[in-house]
Amino acid sequence: MNKNELVRAIANDAGITLKDAATALDSVVAAITEGLKKGEKIQISGFGTFEVKAKPAREGINPKTGAKIKIAASKVPTFKFGKAYKDSF
């Protein structure tokens, strides 16, 4: 399912226009993005949790040359499905 199909599904389910559904979806994505940028943990009951996790610096290997390289520490967004969502399958 792509974004247009998701917008259409939201509009049909909520009984709203495609434009309103697109605006609502964009607002949800923007709110999640902003929350993650601030380091907040975002929990959606019955669905899952978005959060940012820190990955420590580590040493890696360049597969082309075999040389050791340093990989910098970074922060990555993660998502973990909730138990209720997992159990729905």
Side-chain angles (χ1 to χ4, degrees):
M1 177 181 285
N2 62 31
K3 183 178 177 182
N4 288 334
E5 293 167 339
L6 182 57
V7 167
R8 186 169 283 114
I10 292 168
N12 289 338
D13 189 54
I16 58 177
T17 67
L18 290 174
K19 184 177 179 180
D20 290 342
T23 301
L25 179 60
D26 290 341
S27 295
V28 168
V29 171
I32 290 170
T33 302
E34 286 303 311
L36 291 175
K37 283 181 181 178
K38 294 177 186 175
E40 297 174 352
K41 186 176 188 178
I42 300 154
Q43 294 178 307
I44 302 173
S45 297
F47 184 59
T49 304
F50 294 91
E51 65 182 316
V52 175
K53 291 190 176 181
K55 290 180 76 174
R58 61 192 190 281
E59 194 172 271
I61 298 175
N62 181 334
K64 193 171 187 178
T65 64
K68 291 185 178 184
I69 57 172
K70 290 187 178 185
I71 301 171
S74 63
K75 293 180 182 179
V76 294
T78 62
F79 179 78
K80 182 178 178 184
F81 286 102
K83 183 176 178 355
Y85 186 80
K86 287 181 194 176
D87 292 344
S88 71
F89 287 95

